[in-house]
Amino acid sequence: MADNSKDTTHFGFQTVAKDEKAGKVADVFHSVAAKYDLMNDLMSMGIHRIWKRFTIDCSGVRRGQRVLDLAGGTGDLTAKFSRLVGETGEVVLADINSSMLKMGREKLRNLGIAGNVSYVQANAEALPFPDNYFDCITISFGLRNVTDKDKALASMFRVLKPGGRLLVLEFSKPLLEPLSKVYDAYSFHILPRIGQLVANDAESYRYLAESIRMHPDQETLKQMMEAVGFENSTYYNLTGGIVALHRGYKF
Ligand SMILES: C[S@@+](CC[C@H](N)C(=O)[O-])C[C@H]1O[C@@H](n2cnc3c(N)ncnc32)[C@H](O)[C@@H]1O
């Protein structure tokens, strides 16, 4: 039998051709963009704000630095980095999806954030920036949506300056079995219902739950980062491992 596994990947629990996945992910985020922030607060009961705060605290970003908020969507991290780097610094919010970028740009403009932020439509797998360019890159709840994660991590490594660091905030594997069971029940039964009620879109939130289960666990992601060159890689489990923050350095 022919081995097609090199040409296929996961879209949630479905196996799809690699060149189909980006289009399907695009459909999800075009569909959820307008309600994205509201749904984030509802689904996580506001806890995503604490995970993002922790990410900022671990970033070590200072005044004058250049930061890439990759798969930055509606710009929660960009807003915080913009204040941290100040007028002499720069934040690039990059995302593959025009609807998410539009929501991000509008939100940040309404918050009075401008000047040191620019917006770039880009695929994490092929970043349109020079080598050794950023002091810090974050990718928050973005990596699991990317078709070729190794290629994306290598692209991030290329555009980081020596001494720079990557932070990957992403859903991960709960540490305790009882927590896993509750979490599964919530993700597969309650989440799609909230999606249906609030955003009239159960399907996208079913994808969210499935994509989380298909994402590499804590140790696997750490090894993937090390395989493309990141050093001193560590991770922090948040909310019992439901989410993990990975950090690695380019030396
Ligand atoms: C769940 S949202 C996260 C948004 C934001 N970072 C946050 O934490 O709230 C995932 C984002 O990843 C973006 N994305 C998906 N695939 C991407 C890719 N290959 N390259 C860049 N961005 C991508 C989506 O368009 C979407 O805006």
Side-chain angles (χ1 to χ4, degrees):
M1 210 160 77
D3 175 14
N4 294 327
S5 59
K6 283 201 204 75
D7 306 322
T8 59
T9 187
H10 298 290
F11 174 73
F13 289 165
Q14 297 172 42
T15 300
V16 299
K18 275 189 176 164
D19 55 10
E20 271 183 278
K21 173 159 171 166
K24 286 179 172 290
V25 170
D27 290 344
V28 167
F29 287 102
H30 284 308
S31 169
V32 304
K35 294 273 168 68
Y36 180 80
D37 284 336
L38 172 64
M39 282 297 292
N40 257 0
D41 276 331
L42 283 175
M43 288 182 317
S44 72
M45 292 165 268
I47 298 171
H48 75 104
R49 292 165 184 264
I50 298 170
W51 299 329
K52 286 172 178 162
R53 183 73 256 169
F54 184 71
T55 304
I56 299 284
D57 291 346
C58 290
S59 72
V61 165
R62 299 186 304 274
R63 274 189 95 68
Q65 292 196 323
R66 189 182 281 145
V67 179
L68 172 62
D69 179 14
L70 182 55
T74 56
D76 283 347
L77 291 181
T78 296
K80 293 185 170 65
F81 281 133
S82 167
R83 293 184 187 110
L84 273 180
V85 301
E87 282 168 20
T88 52
E90 182 190 349
V91 185
V92 178
L93 193 172
D95 199 287
I96 200 170
N97 190 287
S98 57
S99 304
M100 293 294 283
L101 269 180
K102 183 166 173 280
M103 295 305 296
R105 188 185 279 129
E106 279 169 14
K107 180 167 100 183
L108 298 194
R109 197 179 291 149
N110 290 338
L111 288 171
I113 290 162
N116 63 1
V117 176
S118 51
Y119 301 85
V120 175
Q121 188 166 5
N123 186 343
E125 292 174 20
L127 291 170
F129 306 108
D131 294 357
N132 307 324
Y133 193 67
F134 292 101
D135 296 288
C136 177
I137 300 178
T138 53
I139 179 163
S140 155
F141 303 111
L143 191 62
R144 70 173 191 287
N145 300 295
V146 173
T147 306
D148 190 334
K149 296 172 185 52
D150 298 317
K151 200 170 164 188
L153 289 169
S155 189
M156 293 175 222
F157 188 79
R158 179 184 66 75
V159 302
L160 257 188
K161 284 181 191 171
R165 57 265 173 225
L166 166 68
L167 293 115
V168 183
L169 180 66
E170 192 48 276
F171 291 105
S172 205
K173 195 164 186 294
L175 301 174
L176 299 172
E177 195 52 31
L179 179 61
S180 269
K181 292 216 167 82
V182 177
Y183 180 48
D184 272 358
Y186 174 73
S187 323
F188 289 107
H189 300 292
I190 298 173
L191 245 185
R193 282 188 200 163
I194 304 179
Q196 182 60 40
L197 277 172
V198 178
N200 195 24
D201 180 2
E203 215 38 57
S204 294
Y205 291 92
R206 202 163 289 128
Y207 160 72
L208 169 70
E210 293 180 4
S211 66
I212 290 169
R213 297 310 180 281
M214 300 309 290
H215 191 66
D217 65 16
Q218 287 86 333
E219 276 299 318
T220 309
L221 179 55
K222 182 175 173 227
Q223 283 161 22
M224 287 165 68
M225 287 171 62
E226 285 169 352
V228 300
F230 287 101
E231 294 181 47
N232 286 5
S233 301
T234 44
Y235 60 82
Y236 303 91
N237 285 307
L238 308 177
T239 318
I242 285 178
V243 162
L245 175 68
H246 283 69
R247 184 174 59 191
Y249 292 84
K250 174 173 174 177
F251 291 123

